[in-house]
């Protein structure tokens, strides 16, 4: 790791960088891998089995990593997680099956099962799970990104960078 070997280590390591990954199925986003050794990562994964699997994995390359078993949304309430064949397309929003004939991706846009989940706002989740506000926030939740951000003024007030997926479909 080039950053770890250079003199930049003396600058980066004391920063105690933190990353939050909302939509962390499959693992933490790789954008900060060059500084992962100096970064504490937190991922959000609402499905209990996937969250447990992720928490059992070694933390490498991160300084530490923790996955929180909750869905994030615009409010604290029960919602339905819509899961298609490719669970990377799981969403709190209903899938639009009319997109399939035009764009394909049946595995991403046709719900095959639903799971009831409790959603929390990001601010509420930080309070409930004693999470410090992140330096870097990644949000990829298949259409509910803006709702999550609008309900997180306290967390965003201290965040240095935000990466958000945008889809127009």
């Amino acid at each position: 790791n080039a950053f770890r070997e250079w003199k930049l280590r003396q600058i980066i390591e004391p920063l105690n960088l933190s990353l939050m990954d909302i939509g962390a199925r499959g693992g933490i986003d790789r954008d900060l891998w060059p500084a992962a050794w100096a970064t504490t990562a937190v991922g959000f994964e609402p499905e209990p089995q996937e969250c447990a699997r992720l928490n059992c994995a070694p933390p490498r390359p991160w300084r530490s990593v923790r996955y929180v078993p909750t869905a994030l949304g615009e409010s604290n309430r029960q919602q339905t997680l819509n899961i298609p064949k490719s669970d990377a397309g799981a969403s709190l929003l209903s899938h639009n099956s009319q997109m399939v004939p035009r764009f394909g991706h049946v595995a991403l846009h046709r719900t095959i099962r639903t799971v009831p989940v409790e959603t929390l706002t990001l601010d509420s989740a930080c309070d409930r799970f004693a999470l410090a506000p992140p330096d870097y926030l990644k949000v990829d939740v298949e259409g509910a990104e803006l709702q999550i951000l609008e309900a997180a003024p306290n967390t965003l007030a201290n965040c240095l960078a935000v990466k958000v997926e945008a889809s127009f479909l």
Side-chain angles (χ1 to χ4, degrees):
N1 184 306
F3 286 122
R4 192 174 198 166
E5 304 303 322
W6 293 351
K7 292 187 180 196
L8 283 175
R9 178 182 184 144
Q10 296 170 348
I11 297 169
I12 294 172
E13 198 162 34
L15 294 175
N16 293 317
L17 297 172
S18 63
L19 158 106
M20 277 188 187
D21 188 336
I22 303 170
R25 178 175 293 276
I28 300 293
D29 191 75
R30 296 178 177 202
D31 281 353
L32 291 184
W33 266 26
W37 53 272
T39 303
T40 298
V42 174
F44 291 89
E45 173 49 53
E47 276 199 282
Q49 299 87 353
E50 176 66 5
C51 190
R53 184 190 72 76
L54 289 167
N55 274 317
C56 287
R60 288 188 195 108
W62 308 100
R63 173 184 280 171
S64 69
V65 65
R66 172 184 176 197
Y67 292 89
V68 179
T70 194
L72 297 179
E74 81 244 313
S75 61
N76 301 338
R77 64 186 173 108
Q78 282 290 123
Q79 287 188 270
T80 300
L81 184 64
N82 299 286
I83 304 172
K85 184 175 183 178
S86 172
D87 45 18
S91 179
L92 293 173
L93 304 177
S94 296
H95 290 102
N96 182 350
S97 61
Q98 293 177 348
M99 290 174 34
V100 173
R102 186 167 180 192
F103 299 103
H105 307 291
V106 173
L108 287 170
H109 301 292
R110 202 167 274 149
T111 301
I112 60 168
R113 66 186 173 101
T114 60
V115 177
V117 294
E118 176 191 11
T119 60
L120 297 174
T121 65
L122 180 54
D123 286 348
S124 295
C126 288
D127 290 342
R128 181 180 291 182
F129 297 103
L131 303 172
D135 297 307
Y136 179 87
L137 177 66
K138 173 255 178 179
V139 188
D140 179 358
V141 292
E142 304 306 310
E145 292 83 3
L146 183 59
Q147 295 169 350
I148 290 170
L149 294 173
E150 287 178 334
N154 297 333
T155 304
L156 291 175
N158 297 300
C159 194
L160 299 175
V162 178
K163 175 184 175 182
V164 180
E165 176 190 70
S167 176
F168 299 101
L169 303 177

